[in-house]
Amino acid sequence: MLQKTPVLQAQNRDQTGTRYCQRIRSKGQLPAVVYGHKQAPVSIVLNFKEAISHFNKGEKIFRLGFDGSKEKDGGQVVLLKDLQFDHLGTNVVHADFARVDLNERIRTRVAIHLVGEAKGLKTAGAILMHPTNEVVVECLVTELPEYIEISIADLDVDQQINAGQVKLPSDNIKMITDSHAIVAQIVIQQEIVVGEATAAEGGAAEPEVLTAKKADGEEGAAAPGAKGAAPAKGAAPAKGAAPAAGAKGAAAPGAKPAGGAAKK
């Protein structure tokens, strides 16, 4: 791996500050700093396009070549520790490097590459979740991998791969990321939709149900004007209707006719 270590052409810079760094970036250069190993920090300038092309490939170990030197067996070996971005979070504006010794163990992040097609994805509604894109490992500088491959071919629905299950390239590499961190899992997207729909249906108002007592009361009530229906208590009889037997005001047997009535 060390034989493939790229060389970044660097220049020392004496001036620092926001305005000076802005002028550096306007010239197509990237301001950076190198620190560590109980030595004073050194401010440097890199070629922006060259540096970014290596950063985008996930490379972290470099040799710094000064004065146009390109020999891979010379120059300071450094580890990319941090990148600073602009306020939009899109463009790199500064880089931090740490001096490293070839015989020391370091801790750094390594990208995760998922390999294969999970068999669980053949299930309707199944999706692949990849919440952890990189893990933190501890190893020698010379053993630091560019990335770690994880096969997901046997991953089925409701199964997951945790960081503790990741097979590392070497026994000398130690996993620092929490072993329970989920690297990949297969879930059914439809379960979430059905759960929301059920909750929405459960809140709907139920229709009113008539009880037997209420129904009987409504059926037993006579409709106004129904044939043969008795008038309500105290109500006047309908016009032209014969008075009911025994009703007050009916002519009793032998009673005198009302005034104005014709005599026989």
Side-chain angles (χ1 to χ4, degrees):
M1 180 261 178
L2 190 62
Q3 287 74 17
K4 300 179 180 179
T5 302
V7 177
L8 292 179
Q9 295 303 312
Q11 299 176 0
N12 289 314
R13 59 184 175 97
D14 298 328
Q15 295 179 319
T16 59
T18 303
R19 293 184 178 179
Y20 181 69
C21 289
Q22 288 177 347
R23 289 197 293 268
I24 291 176
R25 287 189 287 269
S26 64
K27 297 178 181 179
Q29 296 176 315
L30 178 67
V33 63
V34 181
Y35 56 85
H37 275 207
K38 298 181 180 180
Q39 299 181 30
V42 175
S43 298
I44 61 175
V45 176
L46 305 174
N47 180 280
F48 182 85
K49 290 184 178 181
E50 179 187 32
I52 295 299
S53 65
H54 290 296
F55 299 161
N56 289 338
K57 295 177 183 178
E59 296 171 343
K60 295 181 178 296
I61 301 294
F62 303 93
R63 289 186 182 273
L64 297 180
F66 292 89
D67 300 328
S69 174
K70 294 185 179 180
E71 291 79 6
K72 294 188 177 182
D73 57 348
Q76 174 68 56
V77 180
V78 294
L79 169 68
L80 177 63
K81 295 291 290 184
D82 187 37
L83 291 176
Q84 299 176 21
F85 294 82
D86 58 11
H87 65 285
L88 296 177
T90 55
N91 298 318
V92 178
V93 297
H94 193 275
D96 292 358
F97 296 93
R99 301 182 183 93
V100 293
D101 190 299
L102 299 182
N103 297 319
E104 73 173 305
R105 295 180 67 86
I106 60 173
R107 288 189 179 186
T108 187
R109 295 180 177 274
V110 179
I112 293 293
H113 288 186
L114 302 182
V115 180
E117 183 177 355
K119 64 180 182 181
L121 292 178
K122 297 179 181 179
T123 304
I127 58 174
L128 173 65
M129 305 292 291
H130 187 24
T132 302
N133 298 319
E134 56 185 10
V135 293
V136 178
V137 300
E138 178 183 291
C139 63
L140 292 172
V141 176
T142 54
E143 294 183 339
L144 179 64
E146 295 182 7
Y147 55 84
I148 297 175
E149 289 188 348
I150 300 177
S151 175
I152 60 172
D154 296 330
L155 193 62
D156 208 343
V157 175
D158 294 332
Q159 292 183 347
Q160 63 187 31
I161 299 176
N162 299 327
Q165 299 172 301
V166 175
K167 184 178 181 180
L168 299 175
S170 170
D171 294 337
N172 294 327
I173 301 177
K174 180 181 179 181
M175 177 69 71
I176 303 299
T177 296
D178 184 5
S179 60
H180 296 94
I182 299 176
V183 175
Q185 65 178 152
I186 303 291
V187 298
I188 300 296
Q189 189 176 23
Q190 187 178 1
E191 292 180 355
I192 302 175
V193 177
V194 172
E196 294 175 350
T198 303
E201 292 174 1
E206 296 182 357
E208 181 182 3
V209 179
L210 297 178
T211 61
K213 184 177 180 180
K214 184 174 182 181
D216 293 343
E218 291 178 350
E219 291 175 358
K227 185 177 180 179
K233 187 178 180 181
K239 185 177 181 180
K248 187 177 181 180
K256 295 181 178 181
K263 294 182 180 181
K264 295 182 180 179

